[in-house]
Amino acid sequence: MIIYNKKNLIAGYPENQRFNYKFLNKFFRLSINNVGDSFQASNYPLNTLKFEADVIKYFSALYNKKKDYWGYITSGGTESNLFAIHLARTKFQNGIVLYSSHSHYSIMKAIAVTRSQNSLISVQENGEIDYFDFERNVLKYRKRPLIIVLNIGTTITGAIDRVENVKIILQNHNIEKYYIHCDAALHGFILPFCKHSLNLSLDKIDSLSISGHKFIGSPIPCGIFLTHFKLKKMIEKNIDYLRAYDSTLLGSREGLSSLILWTAIQQKTKQDFQNIVKYCLKLAEYAVQKMVKFGIHAWVNNFSPIVVFPKPNEKIIKKWSIATYQNIAHIITMPHMTKKSIDKLIADLQIDMKQNGFL
């Protein structure tokens, strides 16, 4: 009960607390294992592979790819990003990873596990990749295949790296061997329901990762990894005793997340999701306007529910589970948050500022 009561005080982390999957409780009596390829049945009958395939189909369509796609439900963003680097290194064994200084920490893990050579790209003030620094790195390593990790919403500020800008730079320098992976953990389920001109399509990149437990909401951390069927073919291996192909990073994979995500996308229409996204983005605007009104320097990137402001004291950080980075902090206006909770948080911030002589 103590843990349950804390859910409305989670303001700094992208965990949607508003969901209800209680009618799936009966499946906890089964050992559901989605071993093998997500689109091919194995010899283990207690699986949810058909539901998993439906989820991948749904998310691929969100990114304008309705055929020749492939993917699977992962344990979360770390596995998705690790698998992306593994897939890229399988295609380009001597590839060098170019990633942003604001990339999620799982990218550094993936680089370490795969023992990949790498180069860090600096960012602009809002957290978006510095395209001039990216171009310098492209020129420096142009004789090698480039494995490029872009952020579709950075962890700290929600900044979006522009795929089109990156591809123009690659084209201008006649770079033909490259792999682009987009880490869209939180924003991957926001952008498809916004009006924008980012033109982000799975056909323009090599892979994409989205977290299932973040904006959608799930009691179990999970992720969606999307790529192209031809890339999956590079790594699949037939496992005789399973009577199935192994093409995922993990062997045994829990199947409840596939059921949960399938249920989530069946419960709501496209308009429902658009309304939820609009609500969260409007709530972020409300938070920024109210913070600024009371003298708190707050800002938000386009298409993002991540509100950035100066780092408060430790008491407030712990009370509201606020995420911090160096001298800044952020809250994320997820579907479970309200104007009332935002007002209470801002009231605490005002008290903090008064006590420190800033108001």
Side-chain angles (χ1 to χ4, degrees):
M1 184 61 70
I2 294 174
I3 295 175
Y4 186 80
N5 287 339
K6 285 184 177 292
K7 74 174 188 176
N8 291 325
L9 293 174
I10 298 176
Y13 296 91
E15 302 278 349
N16 180 9
Q17 303 297 323
R18 183 168 289 176
F19 55 81
N20 186 350
Y21 305 116
K22 63 182 180 181
F23 51 88
L24 297 178
N25 288 350
K26 59 186 177 181
F27 292 100
F28 280 90
R29 302 190 208 122
L30 301 173
S31 178
I32 302 174
N33 193 329
N34 283 10
V35 64
D37 190 284
S38 52
F39 285 80
Q40 298 171 350
S42 73
N43 203 38
Y44 186 77
L46 296 179
N47 65 69
T48 57
L49 291 170
K50 289 185 178 180
F51 295 93
E52 183 175 20
D54 273 356
V55 172
I56 298 305
K57 178 181 179 181
Y58 176 87
F59 278 88
S60 295
L62 284 182
Y63 284 90
N64 305 310
K65 192 168 180 67
K66 298 184 178 181
K67 62 179 182 178
D68 299 327
Y69 57 83
W70 182 84
Y72 75 100
I73 306 301
T74 69
S75 60
T78 297
E79 182 187 346
S80 297
N81 288 332
L82 175 56
F83 187 75
I85 301 299
H86 167 60
L87 199 59
R89 286 293 307 280
T90 301
K91 183 175 182 179
F92 299 122
Q93 293 185 5
N94 66 328
I96 182 167
V97 180
L98 305 183
Y99 69 104
S100 158
S101 61
H102 276 208
S103 290
H104 189 261
Y105 62 86
S106 62
I107 297 300
M108 285 71 92
K109 283 187 184 180
I111 288 170
V113 170
T114 57
R115 297 185 179 182
S116 299
Q117 289 190 303
N118 59 90
S119 183
L120 193 65
I121 311 298
S122 60
V123 297
Q124 302 174 51
E125 189 175 356
N126 72 332
E128 185 177 347
I129 196 171
D130 183 330
Y131 300 102
F132 294 105
D133 193 36
F134 173 76
E135 187 168 24
R136 284 193 290 271
N137 275 267
V138 167
L139 292 172
K140 182 177 180 179
Y141 299 108
R142 64 180 305 164
K143 292 184 179 180
R144 296 177 59 180
L146 304 178
I147 299 170
I148 302 159
V149 179
L150 300 179
N151 295 304
I152 308 303
T154 57
T155 304
I156 302 301
T157 65
I160 296 173
D161 297 333
R162 308 298 172 122
V163 173
E164 289 299 312
N165 291 4
V166 166
K167 296 200 78 168
I168 288 171
I169 292 170
L170 295 172
Q171 291 166 7
N172 287 344
H173 297 290
N174 300 311
I175 306 299
E176 296 181 355
K177 292 184 178 182
Y178 62 86
Y179 180 110
I180 297 177
H181 171 64
C182 289
D183 182 0
L186 170 62
H187 297 72
F189 201 71
I190 294 176
L191 288 181
F193 302 103
C194 294
K195 291 182 179 179
H196 58 78
S197 57
L198 297 175
N199 199 22
L200 182 60
S201 167
L202 191 56
D203 278 324
K204 295 180 180 293
I205 59 178
D206 295 282
S207 59
L208 177 76
S209 59
I210 303 170
S211 292
H213 60 286
K214 291 185 177 175
F215 199 84
I216 300 170
S218 167
I220 303 172
C222 56
I224 301 98
F225 178 83
L226 304 175
T227 188
H228 306 273
F229 183 78
K230 63 181 180 181
L231 292 178
K232 185 269 294 197
K233 295 292 288 184
M234 298 187 308
I235 61 170
E236 68 175 15
K237 293 182 179 179
N238 182 49
I239 308 301
D240 191 45
Y241 79 92
L242 293 177
R243 296 188 178 182
Y245 282 93
D246 174 46
S247 48
T248 60
L249 190 62
L250 303 183
S252 291
R253 298 183 292 112
E254 60 88 10
L256 282 170
S257 291
S258 294
L259 270 182
I260 288 167
L261 293 177
W262 184 87
T263 300
I265 61 180
Q266 298 301 317
Q267 286 176 332
K268 293 180 175 63
T269 65
K270 181 179 179 181
Q271 186 61 53
D272 290 333
F273 284 127
Q274 285 177 337
N275 291 340
I276 295 170
V277 167
K278 184 178 181 180
Y279 168 80
C280 293
L281 298 183
K282 286 289 185 182
L283 193 58
E285 291 177 9
Y286 172 83
V288 169
Q289 290 170 3
K290 193 136 191 184
M291 285 185 184
V292 170
K293 179 181 178 181
F294 291 111
I296 302 169
H297 178 62
W299 56 276
V300 64
N301 271 303
N302 290 332
F303 317 115
S304 179
I306 298 178
V307 178
V308 184
F309 55 95
K311 182 179 177 180
N313 69 42
E314 195 65 22
K315 184 178 179 180
I316 294 177
I317 291 170
K318 288 184 176 180
K319 177 181 177 180
W320 290 95
S321 298
I322 292 175
T324 64
Y325 174 77
Q326 296 177 359
N327 63 340
I328 62 172
H330 76 215
I331 60 169
I332 307 178
T333 52
M334 299 300 287
H336 66 275
M337 295 192 71
T338 63
K339 286 185 178 180
K340 186 177 180 180
S341 60
I342 294 293
D343 290 344
K344 287 181 178 179
L345 188 153
I346 292 175
D348 283 347
L349 291 174
Q350 284 181 272
I351 293 172
D352 176 41
M353 292 185 71
K354 287 179 180 177
Q355 289 176 344
N356 288 282
F358 293 111
L359 283 180

